[in-house]
Amino acid sequence: MILITGGAGFIGSNLINSLLSKNSSDIVSVDHKNFINQSYFINKKFSRILPAELNIFLKKNKKKIKTVVHLGAITSTTERNVKLIIENNLELSIFLWNWCEKNKKRLIYASSAATYGDGSNSFDDNESDDYLSKLVPLNLYGWSKHIFDRLILKKKKKPSQLVGLKFFNVYGPNEFHKSEMKSVILKIYEKVSNNLQVKLFKSHNVKFKDGEQLRDFIYVKDVISILEWFLDNPKINGLYNVGTGKPRSFNDIAKSIFKNTNKATSLKYINTPPKIRKQYQYYTKANIKKLRDSGYKKSFFSLEEGIKDYIREYLRKI
């Protein structure tokens, strides 16, 4: 049995759909009732429980559960409710880690590239405490992930498999519910498809021209492929970056979306709101050498390939 927290969310629903398409059995999704969106799933051949039922479920199914994939979290980078972040991103993660360690179960969990802060200390999935101590996340969400990474890596006892995945900028199907945290790809597509002008943030950094801010964007299909690879390789452990290693600009995104929607380019640069300027990342690039050295050999969708697939195979069919 695979227990997936955040199963009704963006990455979780894509993982469940992929596992179901491969006829995987005994999948249990944990999520809040108001997040359960039936339209995200290819079928309903899996079980669901609410977070309030998790403790009892774990006790009753201790022998059946083999792996916990912990994706559930408050993912907003602008969330300022410390209590909410601690309860959802730290206390739940620690509880699941303790349960997996005690019962010798596998744990694959979502960390984040937000742990790297402004990137001044590089984007290396280095597990040493000396390196991790130098990272300064720019928001509560990033701090919550960073604290959990450091906490469990210091522990001598481990679950039977322990993998932390530092997701970079993920985009793709099933992200409509994410509101302001939707990918910039979906936000731009929604503007373009409604014949509205696309507005990108100006650069307030002399090293970058307007729209040339660079991020490592990864298509969710590649994320799922990596997750399933770790599920298939129970002896591999560690903290890993999940990105393409090839940062691309917001201008590149806009250009690709205009091309795939056959719309004329309508683009304007606006000032980045002062309240988020100090938290704004101008450059991210996943170092994926560790992932490659561990044996993951599949190629990634290019930005153009991912956007084309997302628009033509999903967004245009909605």
Side-chain angles (χ1 to χ4, degrees):
M1 178 185 290
I2 300 175
L3 182 75
I4 302 173
T5 70
F10 173 34
I11 296 175
S13 62
N14 277 283
L15 176 59
I16 288 175
N17 281 337
S18 182
L19 292 173
L20 290 174
S21 71
K22 297 177 175 64
N23 297 315
S24 296
S25 59
D26 277 342
I27 298 171
V28 179
S29 171
V30 186
D31 225 317
H32 294 284
K33 190 173 183 180
N34 56 318
F35 285 115
I36 294 175
N37 190 329
Q38 299 281 3
S39 65
Y40 279 175
F41 300 104
I42 58 174
N43 65 52
K44 304 174 186 177
K45 294 180 180 179
F46 63 97
S47 302
R48 294 172 176 157
I49 63 171
L50 298 173
E53 303 168 330
L54 179 59
N55 199 8
I56 294 176
F57 184 85
L58 290 173
K59 290 179 180 178
K60 289 184 176 180
N61 296 275
K62 182 169 64 175
K63 292 183 178 180
K64 292 182 179 179
I65 298 170
K66 304 300 181 184
T67 305
V68 175
V69 180
H70 180 37
L71 304 174
I74 301 295
T75 59
S76 173
T77 56
T78 58
E79 180 59 61
R80 297 182 183 277
N81 187 327
V82 177
K83 185 174 183 293
L84 193 66
I85 289 287
I86 290 175
E87 288 178 351
N88 288 273
N89 294 12
L90 272 176
E91 291 180 352
L92 176 58
S93 298
I94 292 169
F95 169 75
L96 289 170
W97 188 95
N98 285 329
W99 186 86
C100 288
E101 188 278 322
K102 179 181 179 181
N103 294 287
K104 305 305 176 187
K105 306 297 183 179
R106 301 167 62 189
L107 175 64
I108 299 173
Y109 74 92
S111 182
S112 172
T115 58
Y116 292 118
D118 63 6
S120 58
N121 289 294
S122 74
F123 298 91
D124 297 329
D125 40 13
N126 187 327
E127 297 175 30
S128 73
D129 192 60
D130 180 62
Y131 173 73
L132 292 175
S133 68
K134 297 175 183 177
L135 301 182
V136 183
L138 300 175
N139 49 62
L140 284 175
Y141 166 70
W143 273 111
S144 70
K145 294 296 185 179
H146 184 52
I147 291 169
F148 183 67
D149 288 342
R150 294 194 68 190
L151 177 67
I152 63 173
L153 287 171
K154 288 181 178 180
K155 292 181 179 292
K156 292 182 179 180
K157 292 184 177 181
K158 309 283 185 183
S160 62
Q161 180 186 26
L162 179 63
V163 175
L165 300 177
K166 292 197 171 193
F167 296 123
F168 278 66
N169 292 77
V170 187
Y171 67 96
N174 302 0
E175 57 171 317
F176 283 102
H177 67 285
K178 290 173 67 67
S179 187
E180 285 303 308
M181 296 310 298
K182 290 183 292 189
S183 71
V184 66
I185 287 88
L186 179 54
K187 288 180 179 179
I188 292 177
Y189 173 81
E190 289 175 331
K191 294 288 186 182
V192 173
S193 61
N194 286 293
N195 297 308
L196 299 174
Q197 187 177 54
V198 173
K199 297 178 181 179
L200 299 179
F201 288 149
K202 288 182 179 179
S203 173
H204 300 275
N205 183 325
V206 295
K207 295 181 180 179
F208 298 86
K209 295 180 179 179
D210 292 343
E212 290 300 310
Q213 301 94 321
L214 297 168
R215 301 277 179 86
D216 193 330
F217 296 97
I218 181 168
Y219 195 30
V220 73
K221 287 187 177 181
D222 285 323
V223 171
I224 300 309
S225 177
I226 291 170
L227 272 165
E228 291 182 331
W229 184 78
F230 279 107
L231 286 171
D232 291 338
N233 289 274
K235 293 184 179 181
I236 296 179
N237 299 272
L239 197 59
Y240 292 87
N241 283 333
V242 178
T244 65
K246 296 180 179 179
R248 300 294 299 274
S249 72
F250 290 95
N251 285 335
D252 289 336
I253 292 172
K255 179 181 178 181
S256 185
I257 292 173
F258 281 121
K259 178 181 179 180
N260 281 283
T261 52
N262 296 314
K263 300 281 188 178
T265 302
S266 179
L267 192 60
K268 179 182 179 181
Y269 300 102
I270 61 173
N271 288 323
T272 305
K275 67 179 181 179
I276 67 170
R277 284 187 195 179
K278 291 182 179 180
Q279 300 174 320
Y280 191 81
Q281 289 178 307
Y282 279 83
Y283 178 85
T284 65
K285 178 185 177 181
N287 181 345
I288 58 172
K289 183 179 185 301
K290 186 176 176 182
L291 180 67
R292 292 304 196 194
D293 289 347
S294 293
Y296 185 80
K297 303 300 182 183
K298 289 186 179 180
S299 59
F300 295 100
F301 281 81
S302 69
L303 180 70
E304 288 77 12
E305 291 168 342
I307 288 175
K308 180 179 178 180
D309 187 76
Y310 189 15
I311 291 176
R312 299 189 180 187
E313 298 301 320
Y314 297 92
L315 295 176
R316 281 187 174 176
K317 295 181 179 181
I318 295 174

